[in-house]
Amino acid sequence: MRSYGQYCSVAKALDVVGDRWTLLIVRELLSRGPCRYTDLRSGLPGIATNLLADRLRELEAAGLVEREDAPPPIATTLFRLTERGAGLAPVIDALGRWGVPLMRDHRAEDAFRGQWLRLPVRMFLTDHEPDRPASSIQIHAGDQSVVIDADAGRVSLRLGADPDADATVTGSPPRILALLSGGLGLADAEEQGLRVAGSREAVLRVLPRTGNAIGDSAPAEGNVS
Amino acid sequence: MRSYGQYCSVAKALDVVGDRWTLLIVRELLSRGPCRYTDLRSGLPGIATNLLADRLRELEAAGLVEREDAPPPIATTLFRLTERGAGLAPVIDALGRWGVPLMRDHRAEDAFRGQWLRLPVRMFLTDHEPDRPASSIQIHAGDQSVVIDADAGRVSLRLGADPDADATVTGSPPRILALLSGGLGLADAEEQGLRVAGSREAVLRVLPRTGNAIGDSAPAEGNVS
DNA sequence: CAGTATCCAAAACGATACTG
DNA sequence: CAGTATCGTTTTGGATACTG
């Protein structure tokens, strides 16, 4: 990116991370931790492979990312954020928070990845019953599966499926997000096509008590595979 | 800007404000308040006039900016942020804060504007003696003049010159910033070519007590016009 | 002052094919 | 898996001229 040529820290920051895709690569590394090239590409649907390689080189040159040749169990190179790179977390958070109202307009062709729920989980969910034993909720959002754990006051997210989860929630990404953000109550969400199985308490344990107003005006949906 | 096509609030936010120049326009409107077209252009050195017009249209369409036809005293149209647009302040702040370390590399061709000191002033300065009567510091940074006021615990910045200021500080933008950020003590700054006149107390009243490390390794400079 | 309109060269982007 | 290489398209940047 051509420099703005302005002696202002906002402009200087954008000189480094203002390029298209750059902040999304950082988002991906922040929410997934060290990643292989392929992991990054699958977490950044739409990016051209040469652009990803370019950006990684630039990020490395700028000292935000470093590559590491992982030993045998992985046997490939990993990309990880440096401390300086991880320092962008407040920027990603601020953008993500500002972007929340935009999640109402979901377009059919929008891609979705389970790890993108990490930010809303951190933003909206809390463990309201920290003294109860750990519980977990299996989420199936579209074709993505993640598990939300509540344990001793902390709520966290991991990718994949867990057959021992206390509850299972299935629905489209917008509906799931509406539920997590408090824009839609559990009962309303079910009425709109979201399916809940197992312990409702496990779900209510972490849902926000106050609405954040995503998706409360979305139309009802049909069956969700 | 082409949409990223990702159902993620960070990506959605960047769909709206990720275009080149867009966030800098927002920065300008945040730090100057409602602006005329010409004000914006002068606060965004390097932007092409058609790009500025384009971006303003886009921002207006996205509901972040609105234009207002001001009555006689001004008799021209003003551009102002909507509430939604002003909601980007945390994004600008986060970027600006992350960019602070980059201010060490000052290039001769970098442009500078007085209003760009507003963010560092908010970030670094505090009124350490809120009970004393108001005081002010005239800053001449390169060819830009601003006044920093300390009054009843609040520090603020206004553009222009004030002959009644209690102190005057003159130097290059990097040196001024080093001083304001605490990277350089008042004495050290003077040794490096920054000139201070009038009440040093007025200056010390607002300077940070702890360093923020901008410019402490910068070479000494010669005379500053 | 507040733009619009054009033009052009350069850079960025996106898609795809290919490689060690 | 981790990229390169190539190529066509789109977007910018920058300059300049013009308008009400």
mmCIF file of all heavy atoms in Angstrom, chain A residues 19-47:
data_model
loop_
_atom_site.group_PDB
_atom_site.id
_atom_site.type_symbol
_atom_site.label_atom_id
_atom_site.label_comp_id
_atom_site.label_asym_id
_atom_site.label_seq_id
_atom_site.Cartn_x
_atom_site.Cartn_y
_atom_site.Cartn_z
ATOM 1 N N ASP A 19 -4.170 -2.246 4.258
ATOM 2 C CA ASP A 19 -4.380 -2.990 3.026
ATOM 3 C C ASP A 19 -5.571 -3.914 3.136
ATOM 4 O O ASP A 19 -5.868 -4.431 4.215
ATOM 5 C CB ASP A 19 -3.151 -3.849 2.744
ATOM 6 C CG ASP A 19 -2.281 -3.236 1.679
ATOM 7 O OD1 ASP A 19 -2.821 -2.577 0.786
ATOM 8 O OD2 ASP A 19 -1.051 -3.411 1.766
ATOM 9 N N ARG A 20 -6.199 -4.113 2.015
ATOM 10 C CA ARG A 20 -7.282 -5.089 1.947
ATOM 11 C C ARG A 20 -6.773 -6.435 2.462
ATOM 12 O O ARG A 20 -5.656 -6.831 2.192
ATOM 13 C CB ARG A 20 -7.770 -5.184 0.499
ATOM 14 C CG ARG A 20 -9.036 -5.982 0.313
ATOM 15 C CD ARG A 20 -9.631 -5.724 -1.075
ATOM 16 N NE ARG A 20 -10.575 -6.756 -1.460
ATOM 17 C CZ ARG A 20 -11.825 -6.829 -0.996
ATOM 18 N NH1 ARG A 20 -12.247 -5.899 -0.175
ATOM 19 N NH2 ARG A 20 -12.625 -7.801 -1.362
ATOM 20 N N TRP A 21 -7.586 -7.120 3.211
ATOM 21 C CA TRP A 21 -7.336 -8.467 3.750
ATOM 22 C C TRP A 21 -6.433 -8.478 4.984
ATOM 23 O O TRP A 21 -6.486 -9.418 5.780
ATOM 24 C CB TRP A 21 -6.731 -9.424 2.702
ATOM 25 C CG TRP A 21 -7.688 -9.797 1.626
ATOM 26 C CD1 TRP A 21 -7.656 -9.393 0.325
ATOM 27 C CD2 TRP A 21 -8.841 -10.653 1.743
ATOM 28 N NE1 TRP A 21 -8.713 -9.945 -0.374
ATOM 29 C CE2 TRP A 21 -9.449 -10.722 0.479
ATOM 30 C CE3 TRP A 21 -9.411 -11.351 2.808
ATOM 31 C CZ2 TRP A 21 -10.599 -11.465 0.246
ATOM 32 C CZ3 TRP A 21 -10.553 -12.099 2.566
ATOM 33 C CH2 TRP A 21 -11.125 -12.145 1.292
ATOM 34 N N THR A 22 -5.596 -7.475 5.134
ATOM 35 C CA THR A 22 -4.589 -7.554 6.194
ATOM 36 C C THR A 22 -5.214 -7.727 7.568
ATOM 37 O O THR A 22 -4.825 -8.623 8.339
ATOM 38 C CB THR A 22 -3.698 -6.290 6.171
ATOM 39 O OG1 THR A 22 -3.084 -6.204 4.892
ATOM 40 C CG2 THR A 22 -2.634 -6.370 7.240
ATOM 41 N N LEU A 23 -6.201 -6.908 7.895
ATOM 42 C CA LEU A 23 -6.790 -7.016 9.232
ATOM 43 C C LEU A 23 -7.572 -8.318 9.396
ATOM 44 O O LEU A 23 -7.681 -8.846 10.505
ATOM 45 C CB LEU A 23 -7.682 -5.805 9.525
ATOM 46 C CG LEU A 23 -6.910 -4.547 9.950
ATOM 47 C CD1 LEU A 23 -7.846 -3.369 10.103
ATOM 48 C CD2 LEU A 23 -6.142 -4.794 11.247
ATOM 49 N N LEU A 24 -8.086 -8.839 8.299
ATOM 50 C CA LEU A 24 -8.815 -10.113 8.418
ATOM 51 C C LEU A 24 -7.842 -11.266 8.680
ATOM 52 O O LEU A 24 -8.177 -12.227 9.372
ATOM 53 C CB LEU A 24 -9.653 -10.373 7.165
ATOM 54 C CG LEU A 24 -10.838 -9.421 7.000
ATOM 55 C CD1 LEU A 24 -11.712 -9.847 5.836
ATOM 56 C CD2 LEU A 24 -11.667 -9.356 8.277
ATOM 57 N N ILE A 25 -6.644 -11.167 8.131
ATOM 58 C CA ILE A 25 -5.627 -12.178 8.443
ATOM 59 C C ILE A 25 -5.294 -12.106 9.928
ATOM 60 O O ILE A 25 -5.183 -13.127 10.611
ATOM 61 C CB ILE A 25 -4.367 -11.969 7.582
ATOM 62 C CG1 ILE A 25 -4.701 -12.213 6.106
ATOM 63 C CG2 ILE A 25 -3.242 -12.877 8.034
ATOM 64 C CD1 ILE A 25 -3.583 -11.869 5.146
ATOM 65 N N VAL A 26 -5.174 -10.898 10.426
ATOM 66 C CA VAL A 26 -4.893 -10.735 11.856
ATOM 67 C C VAL A 26 -6.059 -11.275 12.696
ATOM 68 O O VAL A 26 -5.840 -11.976 13.685
ATOM 69 C CB VAL A 26 -4.644 -9.248 12.193
ATOM 70 C CG1 VAL A 26 -4.516 -9.053 13.695
ATOM 71 C CG2 VAL A 26 -3.398 -8.745 11.484
ATOM 72 N N ARG A 27 -7.280 -10.987 12.274
ATOM 73 C CA ARG A 27 -8.440 -11.541 12.966
ATOM 74 C C ARG A 27 -8.345 -13.045 13.054
ATOM 75 O O ARG A 27 -8.566 -13.645 14.110
ATOM 76 C CB ARG A 27 -9.729 -11.180 12.207
ATOM 77 C CG ARG A 27 -10.966 -11.922 12.706
ATOM 78 C CD ARG A 27 -12.074 -11.991 11.650
ATOM 79 N NE ARG A 27 -11.732 -12.907 10.558
ATOM 80 C CZ ARG A 27 -12.444 -13.065 9.452
ATOM 81 N NH1 ARG A 27 -13.549 -12.342 9.266
ATOM 82 N NH2 ARG A 27 -12.059 -13.906 8.506
ATOM 83 N N GLU A 28 -7.989 -13.645 11.939
ATOM 84 C CA GLU A 28 -7.932 -15.099 11.872
ATOM 85 C C GLU A 28 -6.865 -15.643 12.817
ATOM 86 O O GLU A 28 -7.104 -16.613 13.546
ATOM 87 C CB GLU A 28 -7.643 -15.494 10.423
ATOM 88 C CG GLU A 28 -8.228 -16.798 9.999
ATOM 89 C CD GLU A 28 -9.719 -16.940 10.214
ATOM 90 O OE1 GLU A 28 -10.432 -15.913 10.259
ATOM 91 O OE2 GLU A 28 -10.166 -18.093 10.365
ATOM 92 N N LEU A 29 -5.706 -14.998 12.822
ATOM 93 C CA LEU A 29 -4.624 -15.467 13.699
ATOM 94 C C LEU A 29 -4.961 -15.211 15.158
ATOM 95 O O LEU A 29 -4.559 -15.986 16.039
ATOM 96 C CB LEU A 29 -3.304 -14.783 13.323
ATOM 97 C CG LEU A 29 -2.703 -15.278 12.002
ATOM 98 C CD1 LEU A 29 -1.570 -14.372 11.546
ATOM 99 C CD2 LEU A 29 -2.206 -16.713 12.160
ATOM 100 N N LEU A 30 -5.698 -14.147 15.410
ATOM 101 C CA LEU A 30 -6.104 -13.870 16.795
ATOM 102 C C LEU A 30 -7.116 -14.904 17.273
ATOM 103 O O LEU A 30 -7.067 -15.356 18.411
ATOM 104 C CB LEU A 30 -6.722 -12.473 16.905
ATOM 105 C CG LEU A 30 -5.774 -11.299 17.073
ATOM 106 C CD1 LEU A 30 -6.534 -9.988 16.957
ATOM 107 C CD2 LEU A 30 -5.036 -11.376 18.394
ATOM 108 N N SER A 31 -8.035 -15.278 16.388
ATOM 109 C CA SER A 31 -9.108 -16.145 16.882
ATOM 110 C C SER A 31 -8.756 -17.631 16.787
ATOM 111 O O SER A 31 -9.385 -18.442 17.441
ATOM 112 C CB SER A 31 -10.424 -15.848 16.170
ATOM 113 O OG SER A 31 -10.371 -16.269 14.827
ATOM 114 N N ARG A 32 -7.756 -17.960 15.991
ATOM 115 C CA ARG A 32 -7.397 -19.370 15.896
ATOM 116 C C ARG A 32 -6.051 -19.694 16.494
ATOM 117 O O ARG A 32 -5.699 -20.863 16.627
ATOM 118 C CB ARG A 32 -7.390 -19.817 14.434
ATOM 119 C CG ARG A 32 -8.736 -19.607 13.769
ATOM 120 C CD ARG A 32 -8.932 -20.468 12.574
ATOM 121 N NE ARG A 32 -8.513 -21.852 12.767
ATOM 122 C CZ ARG A 32 -8.718 -22.800 11.868
ATOM 123 N NH1 ARG A 32 -9.310 -22.500 10.734
ATOM 124 N NH2 ARG A 32 -8.322 -24.033 12.079
ATOM 125 N N GLY A 33 -5.241 -18.688 16.788
ATOM 126 C CA GLY A 33 -3.880 -18.972 17.220
ATOM 127 C C GLY A 33 -3.032 -19.345 16.014
ATOM 128 O O GLY A 33 -3.461 -19.153 14.875
ATOM 129 N N PRO A 34 -1.828 -19.859 16.250
ATOM 130 C CA PRO A 34 -0.925 -20.186 15.148
ATOM 131 C C PRO A 34 -1.602 -21.082 14.122
ATOM 132 O O PRO A 34 -2.290 -22.038 14.480
ATOM 133 C CB PRO A 34 0.221 -20.919 15.850
ATOM 134 C CG PRO A 34 0.216 -20.369 17.234
ATOM 135 C CD PRO A 34 -1.220 -20.098 17.555
ATOM 136 N N CYS A 35 -1.394 -20.773 12.867
ATOM 137 C CA CYS A 35 -2.117 -21.423 11.780
ATOM 138 C C CYS A 35 -1.182 -21.870 10.670
ATOM 139 O O CYS A 35 -0.168 -21.233 10.404
ATOM 140 C CB CYS A 35 -3.079 -20.430 11.121
ATOM 141 S SG CYS A 35 -4.596 -20.176 11.992
ATOM 142 N N ARG A 36 -1.603 -22.917 10.007
ATOM 143 C CA ARG A 36 -0.932 -23.279 8.765
ATOM 144 C C ARG A 36 -1.497 -22.414 7.641
ATOM 145 O O ARG A 36 -2.590 -21.867 7.767
ATOM 146 C CB ARG A 36 -1.199 -24.751 8.442
ATOM 147 C CG ARG A 36 -0.534 -25.693 9.407
ATOM 148 C CD ARG A 36 -0.945 -27.098 9.098
ATOM 149 N NE ARG A 36 -2.400 -27.245 9.178
ATOM 150 C CZ ARG A 36 -3.049 -28.378 8.906
ATOM 151 N NH1 ARG A 36 -2.370 -29.444 8.533
ATOM 152 N NH2 ARG A 36 -4.353 -28.447 9.014
ATOM 153 N N TYR A 37 -0.731 -22.365 6.567
ATOM 154 C CA TYR A 37 -1.160 -21.587 5.408
ATOM 155 C C TYR A 37 -2.572 -21.993 4.988
ATOM 156 O O TYR A 37 -3.442 -21.156 4.750
ATOM 157 C CB TYR A 37 -0.178 -21.826 4.271
ATOM 158 C CG TYR A 37 -0.409 -20.975 3.061
ATOM 159 C CD1 TYR A 37 0.147 -19.707 2.968
ATOM 160 C CD2 TYR A 37 -1.163 -21.438 2.003
ATOM 161 C CE1 TYR A 37 -0.047 -18.924 1.845
ATOM 162 C CE2 TYR A 37 -1.373 -20.664 0.879
ATOM 163 C CZ TYR A 37 -0.811 -19.407 0.805
ATOM 164 O OH TYR A 37 -1.010 -18.630 -0.304
ATOM 165 N N THR A 38 -2.794 -23.272 4.946
ATOM 166 C CA THR A 38 -4.091 -23.769 4.490
ATOM 167 C C THR A 38 -5.217 -23.420 5.451
ATOM 168 O O THR A 38 -6.334 -23.136 5.021
ATOM 169 C CB THR A 38 -4.038 -25.295 4.330
ATOM 170 O OG1 THR A 38 -2.793 -25.628 3.733
ATOM 171 C CG2 THR A 38 -5.156 -25.780 3.473
ATOM 172 N N ASP A 39 -4.905 -23.448 6.729
ATOM 173 C CA ASP A 39 -5.914 -23.052 7.711
ATOM 174 C C ASP A 39 -6.326 -21.606 7.462
ATOM 175 O O ASP A 39 -7.509 -21.264 7.484
ATOM 176 C CB ASP A 39 -5.362 -23.156 9.133
ATOM 177 C CG ASP A 39 -4.971 -24.584 9.486
ATOM 178 O OD1 ASP A 39 -5.589 -25.510 8.935
ATOM 179 O OD2 ASP A 39 -4.049 -24.762 10.300
ATOM 180 N N LEU A 40 -5.314 -20.771 7.241
ATOM 181 C CA LEU A 40 -5.602 -19.370 6.983
ATOM 182 C C LEU A 40 -6.483 -19.229 5.752
ATOM 183 O O LEU A 40 -7.472 -18.489 5.763
ATOM 184 C CB LEU A 40 -4.295 -18.596 6.785
ATOM 185 C CG LEU A 40 -3.553 -18.276 8.077
ATOM 186 C CD1 LEU A 40 -2.181 -17.681 7.774
ATOM 187 C CD2 LEU A 40 -4.375 -17.307 8.913
ATOM 188 N N ARG A 41 -6.121 -19.963 4.720
ATOM 189 C CA ARG A 41 -6.880 -19.794 3.489
ATOM 190 C C ARG A 41 -8.325 -20.227 3.678
ATOM 191 O O ARG A 41 -9.250 -19.606 3.153
ATOM 192 C CB ARG A 41 -6.229 -20.565 2.336
ATOM 193 C CG ARG A 41 -6.577 -19.943 1.016
ATOM 194 C CD ARG A 41 -5.762 -20.487 -0.119
ATOM 195 N NE ARG A 41 -5.612 -21.939 -0.021
ATOM 196 C CZ ARG A 41 -5.002 -22.662 -0.947
ATOM 197 N NH1 ARG A 41 -4.501 -22.072 -2.013
ATOM 198 N NH2 ARG A 41 -4.898 -23.958 -0.814
ATOM 199 N N SER A 42 -8.518 -21.283 4.457
ATOM 200 C CA SER A 42 -9.897 -21.737 4.630
ATOM 201 C C SER A 42 -10.663 -20.807 5.574
ATOM 202 O O SER A 42 -11.883 -20.735 5.537
ATOM 203 C CB SER A 42 -9.923 -23.171 5.146
ATOM 204 O OG SER A 42 -9.737 -23.174 6.547
ATOM 205 N N GLY A 43 -9.929 -20.076 6.410
ATOM 206 C CA GLY A 43 -10.592 -19.123 7.297
ATOM 207 C C GLY A 43 -10.808 -17.773 6.627
ATOM 208 O O GLY A 43 -11.406 -16.875 7.215
ATOM 209 N N LEU A 44 -10.301 -17.649 5.428
ATOM 210 C CA LEU A 44 -10.423 -16.384 4.695
ATOM 211 C C LEU A 44 -11.024 -16.639 3.320
ATOM 212 O O LEU A 44 -10.406 -16.336 2.294
ATOM 213 C CB LEU A 44 -9.043 -15.724 4.557
ATOM 214 C CG LEU A 44 -8.419 -15.281 5.877
ATOM 215 C CD1 LEU A 44 -6.933 -15.044 5.726
ATOM 216 C CD2 LEU A 44 -9.109 -14.016 6.371
ATOM 217 N N PRO A 45 -12.229 -17.191 3.305
ATOM 218 C CA PRO A 45 -12.832 -17.518 2.016
ATOM 219 C C PRO A 45 -12.903 -16.285 1.140
ATOM 220 O O PRO A 45 -13.289 -15.216 1.605
ATOM 221 C CB PRO A 45 -14.227 -18.021 2.395
ATOM 222 C CG PRO A 45 -14.474 -17.540 3.770
ATOM 223 C CD PRO A 45 -13.136 -17.427 4.425
ATOM 224 N N GLY A 46 -12.457 -16.426 -0.085
ATOM 225 C CA GLY A 46 -12.496 -15.300 -0.997
ATOM 226 C C GLY A 46 -11.120 -14.731 -1.293
ATOM 227 O O GLY A 46 -10.922 -14.049 -2.294
ATOM 228 N N ILE A 47 -10.145 -15.022 -0.443
ATOM 229 C CA ILE A 47 -8.820 -14.457 -0.701
ATOM 230 C C ILE A 47 -8.130 -15.260 -1.798
ATOM 231 O O ILE A 47 -8.299 -16.478 -1.899
ATOM 232 C CB ILE A 47 -7.947 -14.433 0.587
ATOM 233 C CG1 ILE A 47 -6.787 -13.452 0.403
ATOM 234 C CG2 ILE A 47 -7.458 -15.824 0.920
ATOM 235 C CD1 ILE A 47 -5.976 -13.225 1.667
#
